[in-house]
């Protein structure tokens, strides 16, 4: 991690000048200030004073970064995070990033300026250089190269359960329908668990993936149905993907569950897409949300947390699609 001396050296100024810029005290020429700020940005420098002051944090606002608030899983997560924060006298500031990294970076900058006490976030963007383990951040599903605490469901076990349930329902040619984000996410373990269980059963499953975890492209599902008409069991990476598959499959004359058994992942049963009621791997959304807040509040108080990744068990919730 860069030091204040590194910033001073890069900017060609004295350490005291850097300190005056950081603390916004004393007189510094505009040109010199610009050089110092440019050096801070280039080195991704986080002043030690900021890290030390988090213990004395006076802000009672926590930022929640979400890719899309319209998605039922994210909405449910936000509800329980806000409820848990309220119990401890904190308020929620919602950032519906729409997948835009510049919006996420804006809220991270607010954290560095002590305008919010901490951040809980889901991001699929490359913002590694702007995230530090020294400040109060808890990630949902996403792993960073640095030691950022991550709260997630047991995606690997969820994939294993889904495979077993498809076989139990009578599927002979099970398939995984998913998406691959640009950055590593715990959600990828859903496929890993599915394939692990397939090996144990000595079955070669179908695997079909798209590039974007938030993409809802009808052409993607049509292509799958055209290429793999033999698939009689489907595990979709999310409930929304499962629902869209079912909707598209109808136009191909496929009946669910008579012709193909379908299992999703999330457990967002209240969404109007779900007719029939979807069989799914239910994420413990409330427990994930409250755990994330508990860990974040510990970080805000300067306390250590016991581990880097918290994986919470999932369960199969049968519906009408298997």
């Amino acid at each position: 991690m860069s030091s204040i001396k590194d910033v001073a050296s890069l900017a060609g100024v004295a350490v005291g000048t850097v300190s005056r810029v950081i603390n916004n005290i004393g007189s510094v020429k505009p040109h010199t200030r610009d050089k110092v700020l440019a050096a801070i940005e280039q080195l991704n420098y986080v002043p030690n004073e900021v890290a030390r002051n988090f213990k004395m944090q006076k802000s009672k606002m926590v930022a929640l970064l979400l890719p899309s608030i319209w998605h039922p899983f994210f909405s449910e997560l936000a509800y329980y995070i806000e409820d848990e924060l309220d119990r401890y006298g904190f308020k929620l500031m919602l950032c519906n990033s729409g997948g835009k990294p510049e919006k996420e970076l804006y809220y991270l900058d607010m954290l560095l300026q002590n305008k919010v006490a901490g951040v809980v976030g889901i991001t699929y963007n490359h913002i590694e250089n702007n995230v530090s383990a020294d400040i109060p951040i808890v990630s949902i599903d996403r792993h960073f190269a640095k030691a950022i605490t991550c709260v997630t469901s047991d995606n690997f076990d969820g994939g294993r359960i889904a495979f077993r349930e498809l076989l139990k329902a009578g599927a002979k040619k099970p398939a995984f329908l998913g998406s691959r984000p640009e950055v590593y996410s715990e959600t990828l373990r859903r496929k890993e668990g599915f394939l692990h269980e397939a090996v144990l059963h000595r079955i070669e499953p179908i695997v079909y993936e798209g590039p974007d975890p938030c993409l809802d492209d009808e052409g993607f599902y049509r292509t799958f149905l055209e290429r793999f008409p033999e698939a009689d069991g489907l595990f979709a990476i999310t409930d929304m993907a499962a629902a869209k598959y079912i909707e598209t499959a109808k136009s191909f004359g496929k009946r669910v569950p008579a012709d193909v058994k379908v299992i999703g992942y999330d457990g967002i049963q209240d969404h109007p897409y779900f007719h029939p009621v979807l069989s799914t791997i239910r994420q413990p959304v409330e427990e994930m949300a409250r755990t994330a807040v508990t860990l974040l509040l510990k970080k805000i108080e300067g306390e250590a947390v016991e581990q880097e990744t918290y994986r919470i068990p999932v369960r199969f919730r049968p519906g009408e699609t298997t």
Side-chain angles (χ1 to χ4, degrees), residues 55-76:
K55 262 192 176 180
M56 304 300 293
Q57 180 62 261
K58 294 181 180 179
S59 172
K60 300 295 284 186
M61 189 76 68
V62 167
L64 173 61
L65 309 183
L66 295 178
S68 176
I69 193 59
W70 70 263
H71 192 292
F73 170 73
F74 298 144
S75 299
E76 185 179 357

Side-chain angles (χ1 to χ4, degrees), residues 43-228:
L43 295 172
N44 296 306
Y45 172 65
V46 178
N48 289 335
E49 292 85 352
V50 173
R52 286 198 301 268
N53 284 341
F54 276 125
K55 262 192 176 180
M56 304 300 293
Q57 180 62 261
K58 294 181 180 179
S59 172
K60 300 295 284 186
M61 189 76 68
V62 167
L64 173 61
L65 309 183
L66 295 178
S68 176
I69 193 59
W70 70 263
H71 192 292
F73 170 73
F74 298 144
S75 299
E76 185 179 357
L77 186 74
Y79 173 85
Y80 287 117
I81 286 176
E82 191 279 333
D83 185 67
E84 188 69 9
L85 285 171
D86 184 64
R87 291 178 59 201
Y88 292 94
F90 282 78
K91 300 302 179 186
L92 180 71
M93 179 183 293
L94 179 63
C95 172
N96 183 42
S97 72
K100 298 176 181 177
E102 61 270 19
K103 293 187 71 174
E104 296 172 352
L105 294 176
Y106 170 77
Y107 280 84
L108 288 172
D109 186 57
M110 290 184 68
L111 174 57
L112 294 177
Q113 296 178 44
N114 286 359
K115 292 181 180 179
V116 295
V119 170
V120 177
I122 298 177
T123 172
Y124 301 110
N125 292 311
H126 293 285
I127 58 172
E128 290 278 341
N129 293 335
N130 298 86
V131 178
S132 169
D134 297 329
I135 53 182
I137 295 180
V138 173
S139 173
I140 304 292
D141 286 337
R142 165 78 181 276
H143 282 291
F144 293 93
K146 301 156 189 170
I148 304 296
T149 302
C150 176
V151 175
T152 185
S153 64
D154 193 338
N155 295 272
F156 187 84
D157 193 46
R160 296 189 65 185
I161 293 170
F163 189 91
R164 293 196 299 266
E165 291 295 336
L166 286 175
L167 294 191
K168 190 186 300 183
K172 304 298 183 184
K173 192 62 178 177
F176 172 82
L177 181 67
S179 51
R180 178 169 291 277
E182 293 183 1
V183 295
Y184 184 79
S185 166
E186 279 278 324
T187 60
L188 296 175
R189 290 172 58 85
R190 298 172 191 176
K191 182 186 78 170
E192 293 169 9
F194 189 81
L195 296 181
H196 175 85
E197 198 68 18
V199 170
L200 295 181
H201 286 81
R202 298 182 179 179
I203 293 175
E204 184 71 30
I206 296 166
V207 176
Y208 188 70
E209 294 181 293
D212 188 337
C214 291
L215 190 63
D216 189 22
D217 182 3
E218 184 177 349
F220 170 76
Y221 301 95
R222 296 188 66 85
T223 300
F224 171 80
L225 284 156
E226 290 166 357
R227 288 181 57 183
F228 304 105

